[in-house]
Amino acid sequence: VQPHPAPRRADARPATADVPARRSRRGHGRITLDDVAALAGVTKITVSRFLREPDRVAAPTAARIRDALADTGYVRNKQAELLASGRSRIVAALIPNLAHSIFGETVHALSEGLQTEGFELLLASTAYSLEREEDQLRALLGWAPAAVVVTGRRHSDGARRLLLDAHAAGTPVVEVWDYRRDDAAPFAQIGFDHAKVGREMARHLLDAGHRVLAYVGSPIATDFRARERGAAFVAAARRAGAEVIDTTAAAGDPFDAGRAALAALLGPARRRVAIACANDQVACGALLEALDRHHVVPRDVAVLGFGDYPLGRQLRPALSTVRPPSRAIGEAAAQAVVAALKQDAAPQGRALACTLIARGSTRTEG
Amino acid sequence: VQPHPAPRRADARPATADVPARRSRRGHGRITLDDVAALAGVTKITVSRFLREPDRVAAPTAARIRDALADTGYVRNKQAELLASGRSRIVAALIPNLAHSIFGETVHALSEGLQTEGFELLLASTAYSLEREEDQLRALLGWAPAAVVVTGRRHSDGARRLLLDAHAAGTPVVEVWDYRRDDAAPFAQIGFDHAKVGREMARHLLDAGHRVLAYVGSPIATDFRARERGAAFVAAARRAGAEVIDTTAAAGDPFDAGRAALAALLGPARRRVAIACANDQVACGALLEALDRHHVVPRDVAVLGFGDYPLGRQLRPALSTVRPPSRAIGEAAAQAVVAALKQDAAPQGRALACTLIARGSTRTEG
DNA sequence: TTGTAAGCGTTATCAA
DNA sequence: TTGATAACGCTTACAA
């Protein structure tokens, strides 16, 4: 641990004409522009200018300011900066779940894309609750963000109102992880059509020759996108004349839920089924349970997941799954937001594609 | 989609004595306190007071203000609020990795603990880079946070300087996920002793009768905590007279890295080994590879992970692992920060315990 | 090239 | 119970 000089603070503020010694409502002890300026022998506006446009101050002055900044360990106060400049370089994003989730890559890509353009990402999670979404959205809007990114196209009336107000005030609003061509929503959508994915999942299992199809849905009632996939899966399977079982995974550990779902589906009365799951974790649980029970995969039991988590590739047979364009969504959202802000126009929506990855859990290899 | 009234904005600002019609540097179209106040027929300070202490305005006035707030869809500007009040209710936290990580529970618990006390969490990730930590820390400090939470006790000189300055200015600083009893660091530490965990991991494998021990470390050179566990593991195993192999997992998919590590360790020349891994994903990869190769687990190949990810429980045999107090760290950090801010004192550090969970991958059951 | 004055939207202080 | 005024720390606009 290196010792280091305590932060220097100018004792006397630069005398501002005949203003009485500042009544110091609170100092919080932090270094301000005035402190740096005093040390550099200039006024704060020169330091401020140096911070924004270094080339516009004379070289010797710049050198003194540089020293003063390093000496004091000055950190610019964002609140004051944003309030004064009127334009925030903050993008607020609202995601259902931060920890251990499918949204990780989206957030990462979004963050990178924004950072390279000089924007900061302010993140909050909704825990899949519409009510919480509204609360968090209100909190985020308090930061006066330059743009807003939300997940999905379903919101509470209050949240929708907030988004529409922001939109009306010229703040770009982007909805990610969903896309409906026919949707007349006012916000740009960047994502994919979940109903279409559900149909493709059914089609894949039907094409593999299965005639008994099950969907194991998410235990989260407000995961509208998973529900949409499930509903479309069920409808498509029924249309094709298959026997369809529509179930929901138990709450709690998703692997255990997948195991339990498989156990419930199979028994003396039923020995063959093709299962599509709301996510790969549930699917891995189902697949592991099927293997433990010595069912023949994929002939008797086929399992199809969603999300393309790294684990699925490791099982034997490996898990078939749908890979969502997680990273592309984040990249596209960053691009859309940045472009909209630069051109002062409404952001552009974009449809992205999922990829169905057929592996051993649904298809006999070779 | 319900139609809703466009946000109302008072056309004429309340006449502020003889100030000329505002020169309107920029309007950003957002609703301000003045707009709400004009609609309610009061001045902005009354609205501000209502927002902070509703009981201190007369009932009829309060009702009018309430209506005006709802009508306008007013959202309080955080920048102005924080700047004016001088005390930010923001806690800044710096975590190595947000997506898919062991820190998820810590962040979640921290967030919950702070939220119930009226604080907001501002999160940033370091991607395990000291350089990035310093950058991100500087950015976070720009928000003038009421407290700072960082991961670990290793920082760049610059970051340390920033933390010490904050500390000196009375801002509580907490280091999480590490704890050294002998450490004379100025910051409160909330976590556990990684060296001790490394020794316990070695002890567990030795107690199970193994005499050839391997450590598969993290590919992230700057994951100091994993390195500390590894170094202590190796030292303890050597002290006990065991043959020790100290390796590092390949970068990329951790499951694949675990598989590759096992493949490299075992061959014609060596048929028995007990492997400890930097994390459960690598350990699961190693365990799956051992099973695919028909090694006898745990007699010939034993595998011990770290992290207690849900997947480990699902394998057969299940993965032995160390469960870190992830949630407890987040809770304790929230408590420490809140207590420090309330009492205007330095935050208190705390040692928390890991639990070694012996399952079938290291111990013959029954 | 540098500085002065005003103001961003809110809150603390004090007065009415 | 309500309001006038002066900050908070910084940036914009304009002057020197």
Side-chain angles (χ1 to χ4, degrees), chain B:
Chain B
V1 182
Q2 295 282 327
H4 77 89
R8 280 192 225 167
R9 197 154 205 288
D11 291 340
R13 298 297 185 116
T16 314
D18 42 14
V19 170
R22 71 204 245 90
R23 276 196 283 164
S24 166
R25 217 160 39 163
R26 186 165 7 248
H28 11 51
R30 293 225 175 77
I31 311 268
T32 73
L33 270 186
D34 274 331
D35 298 310
V36 178
L39 199 60
V42 289
T43 57
K44 62 179 173 185
I45 188 63
T46 306
V47 180
S48 171
R49 191 174 288 123
F50 171 82
L51 290 172
R52 285 169 292 126
E53 304 162 278
D55 296 340
R56 283 193 43 196
V57 310
T61 315
R64 289 206 317 277
I65 292 177
R66 224 185 307 273
D67 288 349
L69 288 170
D71 249 35
T72 51
Y74 172 77
V75 176
R76 168 115 113 294
N77 181 318
K78 221 105 179 175
Q79 268 79 268
E81 177 190 353
L82 298 186
L83 187 56
S85 72
R87 59 183 138 64
S88 83
R89 297 186 68 80
I90 302 171
V91 174
L94 213 37
I95 300 291
N97 187 345
L98 283 179
H100 305 133
S101 101
I102 200 166
F103 300 106
E105 282 197 71
T106 299
V107 169
H108 190 76
L110 180 61
S111 169
E112 295 292 309
L114 292 175
Q115 209 147 42
T116 59
E117 296 284 343
F119 290 91
E120 293 196 61
L121 183 62
L122 212 55
L123 264 182
S125 73
T126 65
Y128 285 103
S129 149
L130 285 184
E131 191 183 352
R132 212 177 119 102
E133 182 187 48
E134 184 174 334
D135 290 347
Q136 296 286 52
L137 184 56
R138 191 176 292 280
L140 286 178
L141 288 172
W143 295 104
V148 178
V149 176
V150 293
T151 306
R153 58 196 167 81
R154 310 278 200 102
H155 314 287
S156 68
D157 285 349
R160 177 170 298 278
R161 159 88 194 270
L162 290 170
L163 292 172
L164 284 168
D165 284 356
H167 179 70
T171 304
V173 175
V174 175
E175 290 172 334
V176 294
W177 274 85
D178 206 346
Y179 185 92
R180 295 284 288 186
R181 189 171 302 279
D182 56 346
D183 202 51
F187 313 124
Q189 301 184 341
I190 294 180
F192 55 92
D193 184 334
H194 290 260
K196 188 176 159 218
V197 169
R199 289 192 295 273
E200 286 171 355
M201 290 171 81
R203 173 56 42 208
H204 176 71
L205 295 177
L206 292 165
D207 285 350
H210 292 276
R211 284 300 165 263
V212 183
L213 269 57
Y215 187 83
V216 182
S218 165
I220 302 164
T222 46
D223 184 349
F224 301 110
R225 294 168 294 284
R227 300 202 99 60
E228 207 167 332
R229 294 194 298 273
F233 176 94
V234 167
R238 291 231 168 90
R239 257 197 318 274
E243 179 184 343
V244 181
I245 307 146
D246 192 1
T247 67
T248 299
D253 184 317
F255 292 109
D256 287 339
R259 283 187 181 270
L262 185 115
L265 285 168
L266 291 177
R270 193 184 297 115
R271 310 198 55 80
R272 294 194 157 197
V273 67
I275 305 174
C277 300
N279 63 60
D280 269 11
Q281 288 178 294
V282 172
C284 282
L287 179 54
L288 286 167
E289 184 71 17
L291 296 171
D292 285 355
R293 289 167 173 243
H294 306 293
H295 289 289
V296 181
V297 178
R299 193 198 65 190
D300 291 347
V301 176
V303 182
L304 177 59
F306 177 87
D308 192 29
Y309 301 170
L311 169 63
R313 286 179 46 232
Q314 301 295 332
L315 302 185
R316 300 292 180 265
L319 179 71
S320 294
T321 191
V322 173
R323 177 185 300 167
S326 315
R327 164 167 290 275
I329 288 173
E331 289 167 349
Q335 280 170 15
V337 160
V338 169
L341 289 171
K342 279 192 177 161
Q343 298 156 25
D344 197 22
Q348 291 298 305
R350 198 162 145 203
L352 296 164
C354 285
T355 316
L356 198 152
I357 301 171
R359 301 200 186 103
S361 72
T362 59
R363 196 177 63 181
T364 310
E365 325 223 26

